[in-house]
Amino acid sequence: MKLQSATTMLQKAIDGKYAVAQININNLEWAKAALTTAQELNSPIILGVTEGAGKYMAGYKTVVGMVNGMLEELKITVPVAIHLDHGSYDAVLQCIDAGFSSVMYDGSHEPIEQNIANTKKFVEICNSKGLSLEAEVGSIGGEEDGVVGSGECADPDECKRIADLGVTMLAAGIGNIHGKYPDNWQGLSFDTLRAVKEKVGNLPLVLHGGTGIPVDMIKEAISLGVAKINVNTECQWAFQKATRAYIEAEKDLSGKGFDPRKLLAPGYEAIKAAVKEKLELFGSAGKA
Ligand code: 13P
């Protein structure tokens, strides 16, 4: 199966009342773990790539080449999109050029008029190339790969203005945060989500910060129109924990040589387990 845009997967998710997972990837193990798990569970999947992760993996073209190779060699038949996560203006253009099938332009740090003008331009480009486009209104709190947001709730009228431009999906801040939620977190603002939904109708909404949101809130968010949920930190934690445990257990490496494939194997399995849990929770398993 070739890479595809996220448009059809998300429309099916809206109709079927489930969410497609965006699993952020950082290297070959991450990408392989996400793809093979989606295939085993017969689930669509979106591979998220931040600008930092793109640089780490030797550039966007390398990412596209690696994932395309895996789709063929691992015989992946479920729908897969490669999506730029929180892209700047320039990164969106670079990813489109590199062959990404989906991009996020994050103009939430710009004044709304600038966000609208830039998003409008990307709607035209993406439509002409059959790519999906995510826009953002109201920043997501916390820090991800150097992108810091203070976490305001989105203004529903601004969401409507962006939605009316013809984007494929919209990330609206509703109190969600990247990474670990603080102990005094107030929870998701479902009032904001309802108000946004009322303004944007059937447009798929995106929930960032999918690590650590309680199960009941995830389910409620999906019931109110969230069709894509992003997960990054949870896979990083799973990977780190499994790798540390392996190193602890194998302290004495003298005489054994050093095989990086053995070192990375427990982390790979841990990411697979984390992805499986999310695909089942979000309801996309069995929906490919
Ligand atoms: P977490 O790191 O909290 O899972 O959020 C990921 C995300 O929203 C990527 O855009």
Side-chain angles (χ1 to χ4, degrees):
M1 181 81 90
K2 284 198 161 62
L3 279 175
Q4 52 181 266
S5 87
T7 308
T8 305
M9 334 178 182
L10 295 184
Q11 281 304 332
K12 280 189 182 166
I14 282 278
D15 295 344
K17 289 232 173 287
Y18 60 91
V20 179
Q22 173 185 311
I23 301 295
N24 278 35
I25 61 170
N26 291 286
N27 62 13
L28 179 145
E29 280 71 22
W30 246 264
K32 188 174 157 191
L35 289 176
T36 55
T37 307
Q39 182 70 27
E40 283 153 22
L41 269 71
N42 196 32
S43 169
I45 195 156
I46 297 169
L47 304 180
V49 180
T50 62
E51 291 187 35
K55 278 196 194 105
Y56 177 78
M57 290 184 274
Y60 303 124
K61 289 182 183 162
T62 312
V63 178
V64 172
M66 175 179 74
V67 172
N68 273 332
M70 285 188 188
L71 295 185
E72 187 182 334
E73 308 252 18
L74 299 172
K75 301 186 175 34
I76 303 294
T77 55
V78 296
V80 176
I82 304 187
H83 180 76
L84 171 65
D85 189 23
H86 291 287
S88 62
Y89 191 93
D90 289 344
V92 171
L93 294 176
Q94 286 160 13
C95 285
I96 291 173
D97 183 48
F100 274 48
S101 61
S102 187
V103 286
M104 173 183 191
Y105 168 61
D106 181 355
S108 64
H109 309 286
E110 303 284 353
I112 184 68
E113 297 305 331
Q114 190 64 49
N115 189 358
I116 288 173
N118 291 349
T119 302
K120 188 164 184 277
K121 178 169 179 186
F122 289 130
V123 167
E124 283 163 20
I125 298 176
C126 288
N127 281 350
S128 74
K129 292 178 180 287
L131 310 177
S132 42
L133 173 67
E134 177 177 345
E136 178 169 329
V137 178
S139 72
I140 314 297
E143 192 259 342
E144 184 184 55
D145 230 352
V147 180
V148 180
S150 53
E152 325 125 23
C153 281
D155 173 340
D157 289 317
E158 291 184 359
C159 289
K160 177 160 171 48
R161 290 182 69 195
I162 295 271
D164 286 351
L165 299 174
V167 298
T168 318
M169 57 194 127
L170 178 69
I174 56 167
N176 39 333
I177 295 172
H178 290 124
K180 188 175 180 339
Y181 284 81
D183 293 339
N184 63 354
W185 181 51
Q186 304 289 303
L188 296 178
S189 169
F190 291 112
D191 286 346
T192 306
L193 183 53
R194 269 188 216 96
V196 171
K197 170 84 185 150
E198 207 167 298
K199 296 275 182 183
V200 306
N202 228 14
L203 182 71
L205 297 172
V206 180
L207 185 62
H208 284 245
T211 296
I213 298 177
V215 168
D216 58 332
M217 288 193 201
I218 293 279
K219 290 193 170 156
E220 188 161 356
I222 293 173
S223 78
L224 293 171
V226 164
K228 172 160 94 66
I229 304 180
N230 296 2
V231 178
N232 186 4
T233 307
E234 196 151 324
C235 292
Q236 297 187 351
W237 285 341
F239 181 82
Q240 193 186 91
K241 193 170 161 205
T243 308
R244 277 178 193 277
Y246 176 79
I247 290 172
E248 192 56 35
E250 298 286 325
K251 255 187 194 141
D252 180 15
L253 291 171
S254 56
K256 288 190 184 169
F258 178 74
D259 184 347
R261 290 170 295 184
K262 285 195 180 137
L263 173 65
L264 293 169
Y268 169 77
E269 292 299 336
I271 297 169
K272 281 184 67 79
V275 172
K276 178 171 190 281
E277 192 192 306
K278 294 301 180 192
L279 299 184
E280 284 169 350
L281 172 61
F282 301 165
S284 68
K287 300 291 188 351

